Amino acid sequence: RELGVDLSKVSGTGPRGRVQKDDVNNYVKSALKAGPAAAASGAGIPQVPAVDFSQFGEIETVAMSKIAKLTAANMQRNWLNVPHVTQFDDADITELEAFRKTLKDEAEKRGVRVTPVAFLIKALATSLQANPEFNRSLAGDGEHYIQKHYCHIGMAVDTPRGLVVPVIKDADQKGIWDISAEIATLAASARDGKLKPSDMQGGCFTLSSLGAIGGNGFTPIVNSPEVGILGVSKSQIKPMWNGTEFAPRLMLPLALSYDHRVINGGDAGRFMTHLVKLLSDIRYLAL
Ligand code: CAO
């Protein structure tokens, strides 16, 4: 009461958890250390209280994998550091899918599977070149950008051990066959736990495709120090107005999250519009 301490917030170290004088003093010391600004404005990150779930039913404590622990730390770091904005659009991939189906025989001969992900990686690489502000990172001094003149695209892969992001190097210089073969090799290595650290380094931008699993949208978290990530959901046939009538078109939902310290809404709008144009008419990928 003298110090204005709420005793219910103090952990007691005495017998049966009794709060002692030293506990109150230590609580006050750590509150002072946390700083008056944080205390006054509530800007510090409040701890989520530990709950004993066994009081509500049967439970089991499961050890997190190394990858899961690393992912948790990275996600929290990125979520707290990056001012995120997510922008949405749908790409009409009716023609892309029709073309992809025509590749089936040749793909079998080559022993490669061509999925929409290969086209997405190629289109992202092309869009990064047209919109180089997405191929930047903030320099450590907070006063410069690092502009990258290479184009490596990370691809989120869901594995039994957790999420990993192998990188397709120089994606701008590769064609759909090479990218498809690399997706298969990297995804297999990821699932077998055989990726080398160098396979996961150097990404400029990340693709997270949940299209094969489902859902019509999600907001991905930027894989900092990259400044953009594209989340792709499942394509669906939708009635689209073509000026005279509704026509069935295969629409691919896209969500672009970006670091608003580096990317402005206008940059993101241009990037997304360019990407949608490339996916809707893949002839532009050849230009
Ligand atoms: N809409 C509809 N169907 C899609 C699609 C989409 N957006 N994307 C892929 N598909 C189809 C493919 O065409 C394929 O079907 P066909 O064989 O008939 O062509 C089928 O789904 C299976 O694809 P796949 O999963 O074998 O391969 P992929 O190239 O689509 O994806 C990979 C590869 C590695 C990206 C994917 O397996 C994966 O791991 N995705 C999860 C990523 C993830 O976890 N993201 C979240 C990260 S943040 O927590």
Side-chain angles (χ1 to χ4, degrees):
R1 261 199 303 279
E2 276 170 18
L3 298 169
V5 173
D6 175 355
L7 287 186
S8 67
K9 291 190 175 144
V10 181
S11 346
T13 57
R16 293 206 219 119
R18 191 171 301 162
V19 173
Q20 299 182 312
K21 199 170 175 185
D22 277 349
D23 298 328
V24 179
N25 288 336
N26 288 337
Y27 178 85
V28 171
K29 267 190 217 157
S30 61
L32 287 174
K33 240 192 218 162
S41 66
I45 299 167
Q47 288 272 324
V48 177
V51 174
D52 174 12
F53 298 102
S54 67
Q55 60 185 309
F56 307 117
E58 199 183 321
I59 58 160
E60 185 190 354
T61 303
V62 183
M64 287 168 80
S65 70
K66 228 166 129 187
I67 295 179
K69 282 191 269 186
L70 213 62
T71 302
N74 287 347
M75 290 297 177
Q76 183 166 33
R77 183 199 65 194
N78 297 342
W79 181 257
L80 293 174
N81 278 294
V82 177
H84 278 78
V85 179
T86 306
Q87 147 147 8
F88 305 91
D89 207 345
D90 286 348
D92 182 338
I93 58 162
T94 316
E95 312 300 337
L96 186 160
E97 278 299 89
F99 174 64
R100 191 175 69 88
K101 288 202 176 103
T102 67
L103 297 176
K104 210 167 171 217
D105 288 346
E106 170 138 24
E108 265 169 32
K109 273 190 218 143
R110 291 173 179 253
V112 189
R113 260 180 78 233
V114 180
T115 69
V117 170
F119 289 93
L120 283 160
I121 287 176
K122 184 72 195 165
L124 279 174
T126 309
S127 287
L128 276 188
Q129 284 179 313
N131 302 273
E133 58 284 355
F134 269 87
N135 201 2
R136 286 178 180 162
S137 285
L138 263 186
D141 62 7
E143 293 185 12
H144 298 86
Y145 301 123
I146 308 294
Q147 180 70 57
K148 294 157 209 169
H149 297 297
Y150 54 86
C151 184
H152 306 334
I153 308 285
M155 170 186 70
V157 180
D158 181 36
T159 81
R161 276 175 295 278
L163 171 70
V164 286
V165 186
V167 173
I168 296 179
K169 307 263 159 60
D170 299 313
D172 54 324
Q173 291 164 37
K174 292 178 179 161
I176 297 295
W177 295 121
D178 287 341
I179 293 176
S180 298
E182 218 169 307
I183 292 171
T185 313
L186 288 172
S189 302
R191 292 193 180 112
D192 297 342
K194 289 189 179 148
L195 287 175
K196 298 190 287 290
S198 60
D199 291 332
M200 293 178 278
Q201 289 165 357
C204 303
F205 186 101
T206 297
L207 169 70
S208 176
S209 171
L210 290 178
I213 298 171
N216 55 18
F218 64 101
T219 53
I221 297 177
V222 171
N223 191 10
S224 194
E226 295 167 21
V227 296
I229 180 167
L230 185 76
V232 179
S233 298
K234 194 176 178 64
S235 56
Q236 257 186 43
I237 294 182
K238 289 189 177 164
M240 301 304 289
W241 185 252
N242 65 14
T244 38
E245 58 183 359
F246 281 105
R249 306 295 295 177
L250 187 61
M251 305 303 290
L252 182 70
L254 306 173
L256 172 70
S257 293
Y258 57 91
D259 183 337
H260 210 340
R261 293 173 302 176
V262 180
I263 306 290
N264 292 324
D267 302 328
R270 282 182 286 275
F271 182 91
M272 188 66 125
T273 306
H274 187 244
L275 184 68
V276 165
K277 179 171 154 181
L278 294 175
L279 293 169
S280 302
D281 188 344
I282 53 168
R283 290 174 303 179
Y284 286 108
L285 282 176
L287 297 179

